[in-house]
Amino acid sequence: MFNHIVIGSNDIERSKQFYDAVLGTLGFSGEPLRHVAASGHKRLFYRHDGGTLGISEPINDEPAHCANGGTIAFKCTSAEQVKEFHDVAVAHGGKSIEDPPGERDGGLLGKMHLSYVRDPDGNKLCAVWRVAA
């Protein structure tokens, strides 16, 4: 359904260090594509498994801030990967939020393992692995 997601950053190099480490837990390797927009704003594009996550200095020159109520969820392949995503994020400047990583009953969505963190700019990230029914 989605082609790409772009979030703002107030410090591209800090974001690069964070996302290099965190996305590495999901199998991303190598360097993100660096881009400078015609406006001079710096961007990073992480391409993996058919999707792209963009990190950008805000084009309107206002400070980057998180979307209230917004969450970006990353698909994991195991409960262990959910926990690793969380722990690596926290070790690289993220903040653990909500309940500790672990199994949740998603009601109609079934059982899943989840962890939630905020990146250094406050964007809410989720790691999720759905338990096979």
Side-chain angles (χ1 to χ4, degrees):
M1 177 184 288
F2 298 106
N3 182 67
H4 67 278
I5 295 171
V6 178
I7 57 176
S9 173
N10 293 307
D11 185 334
I12 286 290
E13 292 310 314
R14 178 188 66 195
S15 290
K16 181 181 182 311
Q17 290 177 356
F18 178 84
Y19 282 100
D20 283 357
V22 171
L23 297 179
T25 69
L26 304 176
F28 178 84
S29 63
E31 287 291 310
L33 173 66
R34 287 184 179 265
H35 178 261
V36 178
S39 60
H41 296 90
K42 297 175 193 155
R43 300 173 173 178
L44 301 171
F45 292 100
Y46 292 87
R47 294 182 175 155
H48 182 66
D49 282 350
T52 302
L53 175 66
I55 314 296
S56 179
E57 295 175 336
I59 301 298
N60 66 0
D61 292 323
E62 296 291 323
H65 54 82
C66 60
N68 187 22
T71 302
I72 300 170
F74 293 90
K75 190 183 331 180
C76 294
T77 58
S78 67
E80 294 78 18
Q81 193 177 40
V82 168
K83 175 94 168 69
E84 180 185 15
F85 179 101
H86 172 272
D87 294 348
V88 168
V90 171
H92 287 84
K95 180 181 178 189
S96 182
I97 58 172
E98 300 189 16
D99 293 330
E103 187 174 307
R104 313 279 198 288
D105 182 354
L108 294 175
L109 298 175
K111 291 191 186 279
M112 59 188 82
H113 284 257
L114 298 170
S115 68
Y116 289 94
V117 297
R118 290 206 180 266
D119 76 4
D121 286 295
N123 296 293
K124 186 177 179 182
L125 310 178
C126 173
V128 61
W129 175 66
R130 295 191 188 282
V131 178

